[in-house]
Amino acid sequence: QVQLVESGGGSVQAGGSLRLSCVASGQTYCVAWFRQAPGKEREGVAAIHTGTGDAYYADSRKGRFAISHDNANNTVYLQMNSLKSEDTAMYYCANKAWGCAAYPFSGYSYWGQGTQVTVAS
């Protein structure tokens, strides 16, 4: 079983940056960041295969967001730049053991508790 703990959220002005961290206890394979804004469905942001480093992005997040991983610390990061008010949401990381390339944003078994990101316009 994998436990995930997110951190790094907070309040920032539009145009600013934040880096979220997801620390995992246990073996990871495909780790993704998701977000959910009030009244909206959860959506995928970015995913990474922690063995190869291959990264996958939801189309609308390409260019502003970057996912990376540090195997030594078993941590996955989400660097978010040029933040907009519409990026305001609870951000979650999740892990699964299959299909990172084919299904980067579905089928996740383990989830963290989330970290809140608020972008003021």
Side-chain angles (χ1 to χ4, degrees):
Q1 189 168 0
V2 178
Q3 292 185 327
L4 305 166
V5 179
E6 304 97 332
S7 64
S11 297
V12 64
Q13 292 292 316
S17 298
L18 283 174
R19 188 178 78 159
L20 307 183
S21 299
C22 173
V23 179
S25 62
Q27 183 68 45
T28 59
Y29 177 82
C30 182
V31 177
W33 285 97
F34 291 81
R35 69 185 187 184
Q36 187 167 22
K40 295 187 177 181
E41 292 188 355
R42 185 175 62 199
E43 60 181 0
V45 177
I48 189 165
H49 188 299
T50 56
T52 64
D54 290 337
Y56 311 91
Y57 295 92
D59 287 344
S60 60
R61 256 68 73 187
K62 285 181 180 177
R64 295 194 299 121
F65 292 6
I67 191 169
S68 62
H69 72 109
D70 178 351
N71 278 343
N73 293 306
N74 215 16
T75 301
V76 172
Y77 301 100
L78 183 69
Q79 178 69 42
M80 306 187 294
N81 300 322
S82 302
L83 284 163
K84 306 175 181 179
S85 58
E86 50 263 43
D87 295 317
T88 294
M90 184 70 79
Y91 284 72
Y92 300 89
C93 66
N95 178 69
K96 66 176 180 178
W98 61 277
C100 205
Y103 305 100
F105 301 121
S106 63
Y108 284 83
S109 303
Y110 301 102
W111 293 81
Q113 294 300 306
T115 185
Q116 177 68 40
V117 171
T118 302
V119 183
S121 58

